[in-house]
Amino acid sequence: MASSTLAFPSLHPQLPSNRRSSKPSTRRLIVRTITASVSEKPSVPPASSTPAPTPVPNKLPVRRIPGNYGFPFIGPIKDRLDYFYNQGRDEYFKSKSQKYQSTVFRANMPPGPFISQNPNVIVLLDGKSFPILFDVTKVEKKDLFTGTYMPSTELTGGYRILSYLDPSEPSHEKLKRLMFFLLQSRRDKVMPEFHASYTECFETLESELAAKGKASFGDANNSAAFNFLARSLYGTNPADTKLGLDGPTLVQKWVLFQISPLLTLGLPKLLEDVVLHSFRLPAFLVKSDYQRLYDFFYESSTAVLDEAEKMGISREEACHNLLFATCFNSFGGMNIFFPNVMKWVGRGGVQLHTRLAEEIRSAVRSNGGKLTMAAMEQMPLMKSVVYECLRIEPPVALQYGKAKRDLVIESHDAAFEVKEGEMMFGYQPFATKDPKIFERSEEFVADRFVGEGEKLLKHVLWSNGPETESPSLGNKQCAGKDFVVLVSRLLVVELFLRYDSFEIEVGTSALGASVTLKSLKRASF
């Protein structure tokens, strides 16, 4: 998904749920109480951003940024066709890097005409130059969440949402503080509600496997993810409201209208390029769908909206931001990343599965049969697996920043001068698979971040910042960074408390991997 942050904050007062609790499986061998919180660290970091490092003498040769943008209109169209169809995204960047013998070069980024006014960017493909995009003292992040274009604010109630605000804008701090408040207020509900929602998910998958011999993880995951977010962060079960079971479908349709210029859906090339990449899909077509979502969040979040008013944020603006944070960032992120986790772990095979099952079950037993934050800290392989999934296929692939002043950026091999106002773009999967930083960079190495490997976490850049840094009111790092890591770990933990191993079949979808489960072997020890 093309975005500049994947925030997982969310929402709601402590409203009671009328949902019946899911009964634990009688076949499960480990019975545990689930107690935990989103993070044991303070939920609101200091407001000041990390100071810029003191410049050091530049010993790299200064090189003119190679590449060009081609003729106006024609160049961007050609690059768009190469990006989506003639080459594909990875080959598009790889071929230009090889042509210019540089990981820094000039190119056009989609969508181009007629949606984005200026598709010209400076591309950054290595792990050394990429982090400049996180330094808000040097780059501006205003209206760059989706890149060289911004979706109509008609899709977000007429408001520029937090994700599109630069930290220098007054509303940024207030809205991000609200997101920190949301995470803190519901932190104790996350782990038990994840267990309940994904128990339902796995039971659905088991039933489908028994009936059909295969099961789509994506469909079951979408329902579980939406229910989990609503229940844990709002205390509301969607099925008990007017929204019913329609939430995931409404969200996916609404998100499509925002990021369609960056997607391919498998339509005939000419038709798709005209319909999706040349013109915006009209917002009025999803107005009624969005209103249903808005009404659900407004009715569910009275206490949070009260807090927003105390912060000087109108209830309406706060609700639109809560909806976006939950549906676009959180649900969208789980929709993309969880299938990726299943894909990479599934491909690891029985040997990896056995190691994970032994480690996870042993840690739970040693904590009195309880799944806690402390127990998960005793699972180094599980933690490494999640970080490796974030490294090898980060859920946020595209990152943008506009130079606030004349800058010098450095790759491993050269220095480059960037002028004030120029747009820089980083393709994150290349930066996090930089062979000059990671050995066997293209391989999934499950224990890469175990022991001394933890030192490499500073190069895992998935959260609009390094994994070793924390979100603050003054930066653009994902407000729910710790939340993302926690729920991803919970997926792996719940999976191997329930199963010894599983087999998958992997395909593609508009937003990433499509995973079909072929077998689930229930826990035997």
Side-chain angles (χ1 to χ4, degrees):
M1 172 161 49
S3 56
S4 58
T5 182
L6 188 146
F8 273 73
S10 244
L11 345 89
H12 180 222
Q14 311 215 1
L15 297 183
S17 172
N18 295 324
R19 173 180 50 87
R20 294 180 180 178
S21 300
S22 299
K23 295 181 180 180
S25 170
T26 57
R27 289 175 289 178
R28 181 169 303 169
L29 300 182
I30 298 176
V31 179
R32 75 252 185 229
T33 304
I34 304 176
T35 58
S37 60
V38 171
S39 173
E40 300 301 330
K41 298 181 289 186
S43 71
V44 182
S48 60
S49 59
T50 304
T54 304
V56 297
N58 178 26
K59 297 181 181 179
L60 292 172
V62 177
R63 182 183 175 189
R64 177 179 173 274
I65 299 175
N68 61 76
Y69 304 119
F71 291 108
F73 189 81
I74 296 175
I77 292 291
K78 179 184 182 303
D79 279 354
R80 184 171 79 197
L81 293 174
D82 286 344
Y83 180 92
F84 285 120
Y85 308 109
N86 299 334
Q87 295 176 305
R89 186 164 64 178
D90 283 18
E91 184 59 31
Y92 174 77
F93 295 121
K94 183 179 179 181
S95 64
K96 287 184 179 294
S97 180
Q98 292 174 340
K99 176 181 178 180
Y100 301 127
Q101 292 296 294
S102 176
T103 54
V104 177
F105 54 84
R106 297 183 184 276
N108 295 294
M109 275 298 292
F114 297 92
I115 295 176
S116 62
Q117 293 182 342
N118 184 5
N120 304 161
V121 300
I122 298 168
V123 178
L124 313 177
L125 296 183
D126 62 87
K128 186 175 181 181
S129 64
F130 192 96
I132 188 70
L133 298 169
F134 306 142
D135 189 343
V136 294
T137 68
K138 297 178 180 178
V139 300
E140 181 183 78
K141 309 292 273 187
K142 183 178 180 180
D143 297 339
L144 302 183
F145 183 66
T146 43
T148 61
Y149 80 102
M150 179 178 171
S152 170
T153 56
E154 291 181 35
L155 292 163
T156 51
Y159 290 93
R160 289 174 59 238
I161 298 300
L162 173 62
S163 294
Y164 292 96
L165 301 179
D166 185 78
S168 63
E169 298 181 77
S171 294
H172 180 275
E173 180 176 335
K174 290 190 291 185
L175 289 169
K176 197 165 187 180
R177 189 182 297 276
L178 181 63
M179 298 307 162
F180 286 136
F181 170 81
L182 295 171
L183 288 168
Q184 183 182 40
S185 66
R186 299 294 296 180
R187 59 192 298 178
D188 294 331
K189 304 299 181 181
V190 172
M191 289 181 71
E193 290 295 353
F194 189 95
H195 172 68
S197 296
Y198 276 82
T199 294
E200 295 170 5
C201 174
F202 292 136
E203 289 174 349
T204 298
L205 291 169
E206 288 174 13
S207 297
E208 189 174 346
L209 266 171
K212 302 178 181 178
K214 61 181 180 179
S216 168
F217 175 76
D219 295 340
N221 177 60
N222 290 345
S223 296
F226 191 83
N227 287 337
F228 158 67
L229 291 167
R231 295 166 181 176
S232 64
L233 299 168
Y234 288 86
T236 302
N237 186 35
D240 298 331
T241 71
K242 294 178 182 179
L243 191 62
L245 303 178
D246 296 338
T249 301
L250 297 179
V251 172
Q252 289 175 315
K253 184 178 177 182
W254 170 68
V255 169
L256 172 65
F257 274 63
Q258 296 178 72
I259 64 173
S260 59
L262 303 175
L263 300 178
T264 56
L265 301 179
L267 303 173
K269 180 168 69 173
L270 180 59
L271 174 65
E272 184 173 80
D273 197 56
V274 171
V275 173
L276 296 185
H277 307 144
S278 300
F279 303 98
R280 299 172 188 267
L281 297 177
F284 74 86
L285 293 177
V286 290
K287 183 176 181 180
S288 60
D289 295 333
Y290 184 76
Q291 188 63 48
R292 288 186 65 193
L293 291 169
Y294 179 87
D295 291 344
F296 171 79
F297 284 99
Y298 196 89
E299 292 167 5
S300 299
S301 55
T302 302
V304 181
L305 298 180
D306 289 344
E307 183 67 23
E309 284 192 312
K310 295 176 184 178
M311 295 180 179
I313 307 168
S314 73
R315 299 179 79 85
E316 185 179 59
E317 181 176 10
C319 189
H320 286 296
N321 273 273
L322 299 180
L323 190 164
F324 192 93
T326 306
C327 295
F328 192 109
N329 299 134
S330 304
F331 175 78
M334 294 173 76
N335 191 6
I336 294 171
F337 188 58
F338 278 19
N340 287 345
V341 173
M342 295 294 291
K343 176 181 73 174
W344 291 109
V345 175
R347 286 175 172 174
V350 174
Q351 184 177 5
L352 173 61
H353 299 172
T354 301
R355 291 172 63 199
L356 284 167
E358 290 174 346
E359 176 186 82
I360 289 166
R361 296 171 196 177
S362 175
V364 171
R365 290 191 189 101
S366 67
N367 281 268
K370 297 179 180 178
L371 177 57
T372 64
M373 294 287 284
M376 289 202 293
E377 287 301 315
Q378 298 169 21
M379 305 174 188
L381 177 61
M382 179 279 292
K383 291 162 58 180
S384 178
V385 162
V386 170
Y387 287 135
E388 181 69 344
C389 289
L390 290 166
R391 180 199 71 86
I392 199 166
E393 198 166 7
V396 180
L398 314 179
Q399 184 70 242
Y400 292 84
K402 185 177 293 184
K404 288 185 174 181
R405 59 179 185 274
D406 291 353
L407 301 171
V408 175
I409 58 175
E410 295 182 353
S411 67
H412 295 293
D413 307 312
F416 303 89
E417 294 179 348
V418 176
K419 298 298 182 182
E420 179 182 350
E422 288 193 294
M423 181 82 83
M424 291 176 285
F425 157 80
Y427 185 48
Q428 199 147 286
F430 278 25
T432 54
K433 288 185 285 190
D434 187 334
K436 293 189 176 181
I437 295 175
F438 294 103
E439 295 181 3
R440 298 159 61 193
S441 61
E442 297 288 336
E443 298 180 34
F444 181 84
V445 181
D447 56 2
R448 186 185 296 276
F449 299 104
V450 173
E452 287 295 307
E454 289 186 6
K455 295 178 180 178
L456 290 169
L457 287 175
K458 64 182 179 182
H459 300 295
V460 178
L461 310 172
W462 68 274
S463 64
N464 204 358
E467 174 58 35
T468 50
E469 294 185 9
S470 298
S472 75
L473 299 176
N475 66 22
K476 287 297 291 182
Q477 191 164 23
C478 170
K481 170 177 172 283
D482 292 339
F483 183 76
V484 178
V485 173
L486 173 58
V487 296
S488 301
R489 290 176 177 178
L490 286 173
L491 176 66
V492 179
V493 169
E494 292 287 351
L495 186 64
F496 287 103
L497 284 174
R498 190 177 183 94
Y499 306 107
D500 285 345
S501 186
F502 62 98
E503 294 179 336
I504 58 169
E505 185 177 88
V506 179
T508 59
S509 70
L511 294 177
S514 171
V515 174
T516 300
L517 286 161
K518 306 294 286 185
S519 71
L520 289 167
K521 182 181 179 182
R522 289 301 298 258
S524 61
F525 62 89

